[in-house]
Amino acid sequence: MYRIRRVFDDTAPLDARRIEQVQYIMKQQFPEMTDAEARRLPEKLRNPLKERFRYHLFVADRGRDQVEGFALVSIEPNLRFCYLDYISAASGSKTGRGIGGSLYERVREEAKSLGCLGVFFEVLPDEAELCRDEAVLKESIARLRFYERYGARPIVNIAYQEPWSEKSQDRDNLPFLVFDGLGEEGVLKKSQLKLIIRAILERKFGDICTPEYIAKVVRSVKDDPVLLRAPRYRTSSAAPPPPPPAEKPSFDRRIALIVTEGHTIHHIADKGYLEAPVRISRILDEIDKTEIFRRVRARHCPDSLIHAVHDHDFVKYLRDVCSQLGEKESVYPYVFPLRNRARPPVDLPLKAGYYCMDTFTPISKNAWSAARAAADCAVAGAEEILGGGRLAYALVRPPGHHAERRAFGGFCYLNNTAIAADYLSRHGKVAVLDIDYHHGNGTQDIFYRRPDVFTLSIHGHPRAAYPYFSGFKEETGEGQGQGFNVNYPLGDDIGGDEYRETLRKALERIARYHPRFLVVALGLDTAQGDPTGSWLLRAKDFEKNGAMIADLNLPVLFIQEGGYRTRSLGANAASFFRGAWQSVYGQPNGKKTSTSSGRKNRSVKTENRATGGDVH
């Protein structure tokens, strides 16, 4: 079984390997392609400004990194069209035919989601007088028959098939320009096609097509709306056209969602304890309605990942004291050994103050198990990002960003955000953006002396907001970590516009750091009416904030932290992720198993293009 997924770039290790396999398929299926052109694929994905197109790469992979086929698409967001450069199954693929069809359907879904007019591509002619090679003719007939099922047909009455050089009159194997209107008839206007043809010929073939030839083809567009060739392959016995894609986004266009399913075992029923299980259910109720998430199960992560950010004795204490408590018993710290930390109490409940920073975070029998499961989910989210996922959401409780290297508090026991960020840092630089109302003192403490994890926090000013003792602007890191910690403490009654101005500054700092991954400590307690905060953000603000963060164009892992106004918690979470999802996947503001265009008179570069794959 294979799965279609989009590969954004070579940031994630698995995506880098997928791209290498695509390059191998390219050279295998398109022998005319030079090594240099194949090597440019990662740059095409990373640098759309240089390429003058946004390139989207889709792969059909078996397992996590066995690529069976690919499609490479150029997106022109201003003119709103897609150009299908290549589509091919790997040589020897046992499911090549199905792979080609699945890839093309995914391309169409992408074009629709981006608000494109349609998909353009080249296919060699299916007429004997224009294609003297019988084998090539047979393949072209099969491909055009397949594409016609989707309503895609050659554009007629244009000079696209003319030889680019007046010296050559050889019209053999000059490709049709095919247009797929994505189910809409007569949608393409003359003025639009003129601009699109110019963009294709100038940007993709400007080194071989003269300005005179390009102008000639553009001038040849006369029909308005543009006409397509009459259907040629529809018969009563022909297979019915494929159904339109479902409204629910495809697998690779959904956000990976990892939930601590057993979090309800940690339920402190004491009056006034806000970190309750209902927080998760309220969020799930609303985000499930969006249909932009896919569930991922977490596995038990190695203890070494927790010990990498937390003191061994501290972790041992949490595990041991929880195991000794009764089912409904809670221990609140009330003795804090400030005068002699070298001599902690022997009694485990009394020792709580040795590792805790406040008097309202209790230890219960299941606190360790719940915190450990939350850490597993955070690591699972990091693995999704390392596997090529663009957005992942670890919906966890208890939260974690207040947990320091050797201290718990603020409802937090293990620092989920820090555990995930440290894990990701083994594969490249990481930025951590904490947008909880309360300063992430634990994350700051853990990375304060490290330059490979850049920590930023936007929060209520510590003179009036928990944890009170950290989060000041002057705290910028120490030693090698100097300059790699940034705090943005803000006052009361902060609204959406003022908040976004600070968020913009933080995102600019992150962009200058050039991280490979971004981890967001997602606090929703910045909402208006939250019992632990004083800010005024509404659902529309969360949607804008999510879009701004995703606009960084980085793989992002969101890890749930605070948020305690349960009436609006779910709606705010859904709005935030709609904004992030729309930024990444929505409409912008803007025997050979492949098809080769074979336009010999346009040199080797044209012959490299392929649009058909083994789809017939």
Side-chain angles (χ1 to χ4, degrees):
M1 183 63 183
Y2 59 87
R3 177 168 279 160
I4 308 297
R5 68 174 77 236
R6 181 179 166 192
V7 175
F8 285 79
D9 51 42
D10 55 355
T11 296
L14 275 177
D15 277 347
R17 292 202 289 273
R18 290 177 180 124
I19 290 174
E20 289 176 356
Q21 292 182 63
V22 169
Q23 291 170 314
Y24 176 78
I25 296 172
M26 280 180 162
K27 290 187 289 186
Q28 184 184 50
Q29 300 289 53
F30 312 112
E32 307 91 349
M33 178 178 289
T34 64
D35 289 344
E37 186 171 353
R39 285 197 301 268
R40 287 184 56 233
L41 178 58
E43 184 179 6
K44 285 183 176 181
L45 299 175
R46 288 193 304 258
N47 195 348
L49 292 178
K50 180 179 178 181
E51 298 296 334
R52 302 174 69 192
F53 280 104
R54 291 170 51 191
Y55 280 89
H56 289 200
L57 174 64
F58 302 98
V59 299
D61 66 2
R62 190 181 304 280
R64 287 173 68 92
D65 60 354
Q66 183 181 343
V67 175
E68 298 282 349
F70 78 96
L72 181 66
V73 186
S74 307
I75 311 293
E76 218 301 348
N78 296 317
L79 298 178
R80 295 193 304 120
F81 76 91
C82 292
Y83 183 87
L84 179 57
D85 292 87
Y86 298 94
I87 186 167
S88 176
S91 178
S93 173
K94 296 180 180 179
T95 53
R97 295 175 185 272
I99 286 175
S102 297
L103 283 166
Y104 185 65
E105 289 171 14
R106 179 64 183 85
V107 168
R108 298 182 87 239
E109 179 185 359
E110 188 78 353
K112 285 186 176 183
S113 73
L114 295 173
C116 290
L117 296 165
V119 182
F120 293 82
F121 50 91
E122 291 186 352
V123 178
L124 295 181
D126 55 351
E127 301 169 3
E129 61 272 20
L130 299 176
C131 180
R132 295 191 291 266
D133 187 314
E134 292 185 4
V136 173
L137 177 63
K138 182 178 179 181
E139 289 183 2
S140 298
I141 291 171
R143 288 172 186 130
L144 284 166
R145 177 187 291 116
F146 168 81
Y147 288 121
E148 192 172 289
R149 293 177 58 214
Y150 294 90
R153 305 193 302 277
I155 300 173
V156 297
N157 301 336
I158 61 174
Y160 198 86
Q161 277 193 294
E162 295 292 322
W164 75 274
S165 172
E166 294 182 0
K167 297 179 181 179
S168 174
Q169 296 304 313
D170 186 0
R171 297 174 179 272
D172 186 50
N173 271 353
L174 296 179
F176 294 131
L177 181 62
V178 179
F179 176 64
D180 182 347
L182 306 175
E184 299 290 334
E185 294 288 340
V187 297
L188 189 60
K189 298 179 180 179
K190 176 176 70 172
S191 59
Q192 293 169 327
L193 182 59
K194 284 176 175 284
L195 294 173
I196 290 169
I197 286 177
R198 184 174 293 279
I200 292 172
L201 296 180
E202 287 183 346
R203 301 182 197 182
K204 292 186 173 294
F205 311 107
D207 57 337
I208 49 179
C209 291
T210 65
E212 294 76 17
Y213 170 78
I214 295 173
K216 173 185 175 181
V217 177
V218 171
R219 285 195 306 270
S220 71
V221 180
K222 304 295 185 183
D223 299 319
D224 197 10
V226 175
L227 298 180
L228 306 184
R229 191 177 73 179
R232 182 169 292 183
Y233 300 107
R234 291 181 183 173
T235 64
S236 57
S237 60
E247 291 298 319
K248 190 173 183 178
S250 60
F251 167 86
D252 68 307
R253 294 179 64 239
R254 284 179 274 160
I255 302 169
L257 173 64
I258 311 98
V259 183
T260 45
E261 301 293 351
H263 68 91
T264 55
I265 62 173
H266 177 60
H267 185 189
I268 306 299
D270 298 349
K271 184 178 181 180
Y273 193 82
L274 298 172
E275 208 289 287
V278 67
R279 298 175 59 239
I280 302 300
S281 59
R282 290 293 172 84
I283 292 175
L284 282 175
D285 287 345
E286 293 301 321
I287 67 174
D288 280 346
K289 296 175 184 177
T290 67
E291 295 192 330
I292 60 174
F293 291 87
R294 57 179 176 86
R295 289 292 189 98
V296 175
R297 294 184 63 86
R299 296 175 296 176
H300 192 69
C301 73
D303 289 342
S304 60
L305 299 184
I306 295 174
H307 292 150
V309 301
H310 287 297
D311 180 81
H312 283 243
D313 290 341
F314 164 68
V315 173
K316 183 177 186 301
Y317 168 75
L318 277 180
R319 185 175 58 244
D320 290 350
V321 69
C322 289
S323 67
Q324 295 183 22
L325 296 176
E327 193 66 39
K328 297 184 178 181
E329 186 179 1
S330 297
V331 174
Y332 286 86
Y334 65 94
V335 177
F336 298 87
L338 298 178
R339 299 191 177 201
N340 191 353
R341 294 188 64 84
R343 299 293 296 273
V346 175
D347 185 73
L348 285 178
L350 287 176
K351 199 175 181 180
Y354 184 73
Y355 289 112
C356 191
M357 64 186 72
D358 58 43
T359 61
F360 57 82
T361 303
I363 299 175
S364 65
K365 181 178 181 61
N366 292 317
W368 166 258
S369 298
R372 187 64 174 76
D376 290 339
C377 290
V379 172
E383 289 179 334
E384 282 294 310
I385 295 299
L386 291 173
R390 206 62 179 181
L391 302 175
Y393 177 29
L395 177 54
V396 300
R397 64 171 297 271
H401 73 146
H402 292 307
E404 298 181 350
R405 178 168 289 279
R406 61 182 317 277
F408 68 95
F411 308 144
C412 303
Y413 303 92
L414 297 175
N415 196 315
N416 309 307
T417 294
I419 291 168
D422 179 78
Y423 182 47
L424 288 170
S425 72
R426 303 172 190 193
H427 301 275
K429 294 193 303 183
V430 177
V432 175
L433 176 63
D434 194 319
I435 56 174
D436 191 278
Y437 176 79
H438 307 91
H439 177 243
N441 58 286
T443 310
Q444 173 175 298
D445 171 71
I446 289 167
F447 297 117
Y448 205 60
R449 295 165 183 81
R450 288 174 54 171
D452 60 327
V453 179
F454 184 25
T455 52
L456 305 92
S457 179
I458 306 172
H459 51 268
H461 202 288
R463 64 172 174 256
Y466 185 90
Y468 307 110
F469 56 80
S470 74
F472 295 93
K473 189 175 182 180
E474 296 78 19
E475 298 163 359
T476 58
E478 291 181 355
Q480 290 185 328
Q482 178 61 48
F484 294 98
N485 186 83
V486 179
N487 288 318
Y488 298 93
L490 304 178
D492 295 338
D493 301 324
I494 298 297
D497 292 339
E498 187 176 356
Y499 181 88
R500 278 187 293 281
E501 179 59 27
T502 302
L503 178 60
R504 179 187 61 77
K505 294 176 182 177
L507 296 176
E508 288 175 352
R509 293 288 296 270
I510 291 172
R512 291 198 298 270
Y513 179 65
H514 297 294
R516 198 167 188 181
F517 308 102
L518 175 63
V519 179
V520 175
L522 178 59
L524 299 171
D525 44 6
T526 54
Q528 183 175 31
D530 191 278
T532 70
S534 65
W535 292 352
L536 308 173
L537 274 63
R538 298 175 178 269
K540 63 180 181 181
D541 297 310
F542 285 101
E543 183 168 355
K544 293 176 182 177
N545 296 345
M548 287 177 66
I549 292 170
D551 279 347
L552 278 175
N553 197 28
L554 290 169
V556 188
L557 169 59
F558 302 94
I559 300 180
Q560 188 62 48
E561 296 292 353
Y564 306 97
R565 187 176 188 266
T566 54
R567 287 176 56 190
S568 61
L569 186 60
N572 291 338
S575 295
F576 180 88
F577 283 105
R578 269 196 300 269
W581 183 87
Q582 187 72 11
S583 173
V584 175
Y585 300 110
Q587 183 173 342
N589 193 11
K591 88 188 163 186
K592 195 176 205 175
T593 58
S594 54
T595 302
S596 174
S597 69
R599 185 178 287 240
K600 297 175 182 178
N601 289 346
R602 283 203 197 155
S603 85
V604 173
K605 181 172 182 178
T606 317
E607 294 178 6
N608 289 340
R609 291 183 292 164
T611 53
D614 193 357
V615 294
H616 46 278

